[in-house]
Amino acid sequence: MDSALIAYLLAAAIRITGLPPVPVEELPPFVPLSSRELERQVCPDAGQGCRGIVAYFDALHYRILYRDSLNLDEPFDHSFLLHEMVHVLQHR
């Protein structure tokens, strides 16, 4: 994932929440996964109940999982990652 996009999303998450900043180098890795693999990783026992998941902050393994079909050039798709960045700030 583009480091400029990550820095932009981090700055936005800090500005929106007012939470203390996290250095970019201390952010969790962003892991792109197929929709099916994302569902399997996040909620393996949920069956169809996890079908709509797009991104997830996995605090246990300190990583952000997201659908590999996200268009990282689209601001709408950035919103899913921004949401997970907020969870990272809350976690820290």
Side-chain angles (χ1 to χ4, degrees):
M1 178 169 303
D2 179 37
S3 59
L5 175 58
I6 292 172
Y8 172 79
L9 293 173
L10 176 61
I14 292 166
R15 192 171 47 253
I16 290 166
T17 65
L19 291 168
V22 173
V24 172
E25 59 274 3
E26 292 180 19
L27 288 174
F30 287 78
V31 181
L33 298 171
S34 69
S35 180
R36 186 173 303 257
E37 182 60 20
L38 180 60
E39 293 166 18
R40 191 185 74 71
Q41 291 276 325
V42 174
C43 40
D45 301 322
Q48 302 295 331
C50 199
R51 181 169 274 176
I53 194 159
V54 177
Y56 178 76
F57 171 53
D58 178 1
L60 182 63
H61 298 102
Y62 199 62
R63 60 191 182 155
I64 294 175
L65 309 175
Y66 68 96
R67 280 191 191 176
D68 60 4
S69 61
L70 282 181
N71 181 347
L72 299 181
D73 293 326
E74 281 295 319
F76 178 78
D77 285 358
H78 295 170
S79 68
F80 298 107
L81 300 174
L82 175 63
H83 178 89
E84 301 313 321
M85 295 283 274
V86 169
H87 289 304
V88 170
L89 294 175
Q90 292 169 329
H91 176 76
R92 297 288 303 236

